[in-house]
Every structure is written in structure tokens, then in C-alpha cells.
Amino acid sequence: MAPVPISSIKVGHIDDVQELRKNRPKTIPERFVRDMNERPAPAMALSLPSSDMPVIDFSKLTKGNTQQVHSEILKLADACENWGFFQVLNHEVDLTLMESMEKSSREFFMLPLEEKQKYHMAPGTVQGYGQAFVFSEDQKLDWCNMFALGIEPQFIRNPNLWPKNPATFSETVEVYSREVRKLCQNLLKYIGLGLGLEGDVFEKMFGMAVQAIRMNYYPPCSRPDLVFGLSPHSDGSALTVLQQAKGSPVGLQILKDKSWVPLQLIPNALVINIGDTIEVLTNGKYKSVEHRAVVHKDKDRLSIVTFYAPSYEVELSPIQEFVDEENPCKYRRYNHGEYSKHYVTNKLQGKKTLDFAKI
Ligand SMILES: COC(=O)C(/C=C/C1=C(C)CCCC1(C)C)=C/O[C@H]1C=C(C)C(=O)O1
Ligand SMILES: O=C(O)CCC(=O)C(=O)O
Ligand SMILES: [Fe+2]
């Protein structure tokens, strides 16, 4: 995917949020302050408990007896249809490796700005250190520093952006990404079976799947009621895997039945969500759910997010099984590379990006 021509983008000065925070500003710079109508409500005003969010025991899928496998697939199918988000336990991603990812990511974000800027995210690109999804000078900014890398296939990698410091960073990302890739492949198999399809339907369709990782670091903010950590959006992937670092405060919120529900995460679990690609393929039976991150007054927060998506050359459209008289086709046929380009060249704005594919 070619970068967007730099000359066409004027984003103004983007403050590094960690540097801003160091000076403990009494007021939040205007560019981060959200308009009244979109500010996050105080947590107290949020009604629904997140305790109902489905939890899938991955070991029941892979090692359970026939009955356990069957009932866990049903639970998974229900989670995909009614939540679009679920947590996975016993996911086979090594817990020590998850800790190393947290440690390396934290060490990276704690480096001096000059060091991190060696891996600067150039305007019009999505890899490296900075803020993605900013395309105009008057666009509001998120209270977040990001570091993103393309993982697979190899040709999407930019080796200059893989940090040499901390020394273990790149190797840890490499091993972690292999394990998360296996998890995605397996989950897609069970999601396929839960939909009444062949277990290998997505694997065959996706070809050499694209995988990317993004670390989001949210410093504390004296006015969390005025800013977003990450603007509301759905993910452009097929599946997204989110690891929230230990000790992080609650920050992820999902839009459920028109209310923003904060997610209380189970220790050692990974959070999975359905992305736009699966929404299209299932003709909307499984929906990509809008979500956002809010920040905390005193505590920082770190999330490590993997996006798993079809190969760029794949042409996507709803699978025939989900299209009939009652459910007319809602999405046109399109090329996933084109969708990726569209996704990363627009600001995060709820589910607006998916309009690209709507009929
Ligand atoms: C800042 O980047 C993102 O948030 C992001 C981008 C991912 C990518 C890279 C970092 C390298 C090149 C590939 C890709 C575009 C996937 C989000 O990824 C979502 C958006 C799409 C589309 C997707 O598949 O995952
Ligand atoms: O940090 C979080 O909890 C949300 C991250 C997220 O939604 C993303 O990176 O796409
Ligand atoms: Fe997301």
C-alpha cells in the first residue's frame, strides 16, 4: 500500500502527549478538548455493567471433549452476534511473553523523545511513532502516543522503524506476533464453524493475511472529561486482539445498545473484537462494534493491539449463505487493499469508514 503524497497533508503541529504531560499544564490545549456534544461522560453516568461481556475458554475449543467444543462454539457465536467483543482465557499466548511485551513497550514509550523520533510516523503513513489518523489542522487530537508496525507479510515491514532500543523489543514483538497470529487463525476457524461454514473458509479466503501491531500509550490527564484517549471507531481488520497492560485503569469502552459501556478486563485475558471485514463477509450478522478509549486523572494506560486482516489483493463481498430475501446484500464487492488505504487515510469517526463498502 503506497503512502499518501505528503504534500497534500497539512496537519499542523502535533504535540507529543507525554511531553505535554511532563509540564503538568493547568489547562488542556484546545486541540485536545472535545466539543461539548462528544465529550466522554463521567464513568458514573455509564449505566450497563460490563460483567456480562462473554468470556471464551479457548482450551475448551482446542482440547475439550465433543460436547465442550460444541457448547464453546455456540458461546463464541453468541458473543460475535450479540457483543462483537469477547475476552479469551487460556489463549495459548505465553503469559511471560505478554509480560515481556508490556515491559518492552513501556520501556520504548519511556525513552527520550529524540530517541523515539528516530522512528517517527511520517505524514501519510501509518507505521512508526506518533499519532495516526490526523489529516487536517483543525482536527481534534487524541490523548495518546502510538507506535505501529506492519508485521506480515514481510513486504509491509519498514526495517528502519523496528527499534534497536530497548534491545529485546524487536525480538519480543516478533515472537509475540507469531503466537497472536496462531490465535487469530484458530479463532477464525471456530468462528467459521459457528457460522455453519467450513472451518477453513476464512483461512482460504484471506490468503497471506496482513497483520499489524499498534501500541497505544495514554498518559494521565488532569481533565479526562474533556479528551478522548482514542476517538470512537470500529476496526478495519477481520479480528483485533487487544492486550491491556497489567495495572492499567479501565479505559476501553464499547457502544452497546446506544450506551458506552466500560470494560473491566480479566487478568491475563485477551480481548477480541470483530472488525469491519467480518461484518461485510457475514452481511452484517456479526457487526464491528464502535469503541473508544478514555483516560485517567492519575494513572497511565498501555494497550497492545494486533490487527489481523485479509491479504491486500483479496476481493471481498458478503458470503452467499448470509444473503437472501430477508437479508438483502448490504455491501458491495471491493478490494481489501483499497479498503485498508481508505481506512488509514481517514480520521477515526465511529463506523463512518465502512460507508466505503455499503450499498
Ligand atoms: C496506525 O495504524 C493503525 O491503526 C492500523 C494500521 C495497520 C497497518 C499497518 C500499521 C501497516 C500496514 C498495514 C495496516 C494498514 C494493516 C490499523 O489497522 C486496521 C486497519 C485496517 C484496514 C486493518 O486491517 O487493520
Ligand atoms: O486502548 C484501547 O483500549 C483501545 C485500542 C483500540 O481500540 C485500537 O487500538 O484500535
Ligand atoms: Fe480499535
Side-chain angles (χ1 to χ4, degrees):
M1 201 181 31
V4 175
I6 292 169
S7 58
S8 63
I9 304 165
K10 285 205 175 63
V11 296
H13 175 71
I14 300 181
D15 277 313
D16 182 279
V17 188
Q18 280 168 271
E19 296 302 308
L20 260 185
R21 167 73 189 173
K22 273 187 192 158
N23 301 323
R24 307 267 166 157
K26 290 215 169 46
T27 52
I28 305 298
E30 206 43 42
R31 234 185 137 185
F32 292 87
V33 176
R34 297 294 167 150
D35 295 339
M36 284 297 257
N37 59 348
E38 60 162 1
R39 289 181 190 173
M44 300 268 288
L46 299 160
S47 45
L48 277 172
S50 59
S51 47
D52 301 343
M53 187 195 188
V55 179
I56 301 299
D57 183 345
F58 187 69
S59 67
K60 286 195 182 145
L61 291 168
T62 53
K63 300 189 186 87
N65 59 35
T66 315
Q67 200 275 325
Q68 284 171 321
V69 176
H70 183 69
S71 85
E72 212 60 15
I73 289 180
L74 289 182
K75 208 165 146 189
L76 176 64
D78 183 69
C80 293
E81 190 159 354
N82 296 310
W83 282 80
F85 263 82
F86 53 92
Q87 303 192 55
V88 184
L89 281 172
N90 304 317
H91 39 62
E92 295 179 11
V93 178
D94 188 77
L95 297 181
T96 319
L97 184 58
M98 285 171 64
E99 259 175 44
S100 306
M101 264 311 287
E102 291 177 18
K103 188 166 175 286
S104 303
S105 308
R106 209 170 259 287
E107 274 172 27
F108 176 79
F109 282 111
M110 294 310 137
L111 290 172
L113 182 62
E114 308 80 77
E115 182 66 22
K116 288 184 283 186
Q117 277 179 335
K118 289 184 185 161
Y119 311 105
H120 173 66
M121 185 186 287
T125 70
V126 283
Q127 302 199 45
Y129 177 74
Q131 271 221 22
F133 308 110
V134 185
F135 300 99
S136 77
E137 283 174 296
D138 50 9
Q139 189 183 327
K140 294 288 180 188
L141 300 176
D142 287 334
W143 196 262
C144 174
N145 286 337
M146 295 176 173
F147 183 59
L149 291 172
I151 304 289
E152 294 288 354
Q154 292 283 326
F155 75 82
I156 72 170
R157 293 190 184 199
N158 179 347
N160 299 328
L161 295 177
W162 284 64
K164 318 232 166 348
N165 183 9
T168 52
F169 184 97
S170 296
E171 180 58 15
T172 307
V173 169
E174 193 81 76
V175 182
Y176 176 81
S177 296
R178 274 204 291 274
E179 295 203 3
V180 173
R181 191 173 180 87
K182 268 189 252 157
L183 177 64
C184 291
Q185 288 163 341
N186 275 313
L187 283 172
L188 282 169
K189 173 173 124 189
Y190 296 109
I191 289 174
L193 292 171
L195 284 163
L197 305 168
E198 295 295 325
D200 59 1
V201 66
F202 296 119
E203 196 184 335
K204 277 191 177 154
M205 188 187 297
F206 285 10
M208 180 64 180
V210 170
Q211 184 178 350
I213 193 164
R214 163 143 58 77
M215 290 131 231
N216 304 309
Y217 179 74
Y218 309 95
C221 176
S222 59
R223 293 296 308 270
D225 54 322
L226 299 183
V227 306
F228 281 134
L230 192 61
S231 301
H233 66 282
S234 63
D235 293 336
S237 49
L239 284 187
T240 301
V241 179
L242 180 141
Q243 176 184 342
Q244 177 178 278
K246 280 206 172 79
S248 291
V250 170
L252 175 61
Q253 300 184 340
I254 70 170
L255 191 59
K256 176 136 181 70
D257 306 325
K258 298 191 181 151
S259 292
W260 286 104
V261 182
L263 292 187
Q264 201 85 47
L265 303 186
I266 302 172
N268 299 327
L270 288 167
V271 180
I272 314 293
N273 63 283
I274 296 293
D276 297 340
T277 304
I278 295 290
E279 172 163 336
V280 169
L281 291 175
T282 61
N283 198 28
K285 182 178 171 72
Y286 291 176
K287 294 191 176 55
S288 60
V289 169
E290 209 175 317
H291 54 287
R292 67 186 188 184
V294 297
V295 292
H296 193 273
K297 203 167 181 320
D298 311 302
K299 293 183 187 164
D300 64 358
R301 180 166 177 272
L302 171 70
S303 64
I304 299 160
V305 184
T306 298
F307 303 101
Y308 187 85
S311 178
Y312 288 142
E313 72 275 8
V314 174
E315 302 288 317
L316 296 170
S317 60
I319 299 171
Q320 275 313 308
E321 277 82 342
F322 305 106
V323 181
D324 55 30
E325 247 175 62
E326 247 176 72
N327 304 288
C329 190
K330 298 192 184 82
Y331 308 93
R332 66 180 176 86
R333 191 174 166 82
Y334 64 89
N335 166 271
H336 182 70
E338 292 293 319
Y339 187 64
S340 292
K341 190 164 146 196
H342 175 74
Y343 189 95
V344 298
T345 51
N346 280 279
K347 67 174 180 179
L348 297 177
Q349 205 179 0
K351 289 194 62 165
K352 199 164 180 296
T353 321
L354 195 51
D355 288 350
F356 173 93
K358 285 201 178 131
I359 291 179

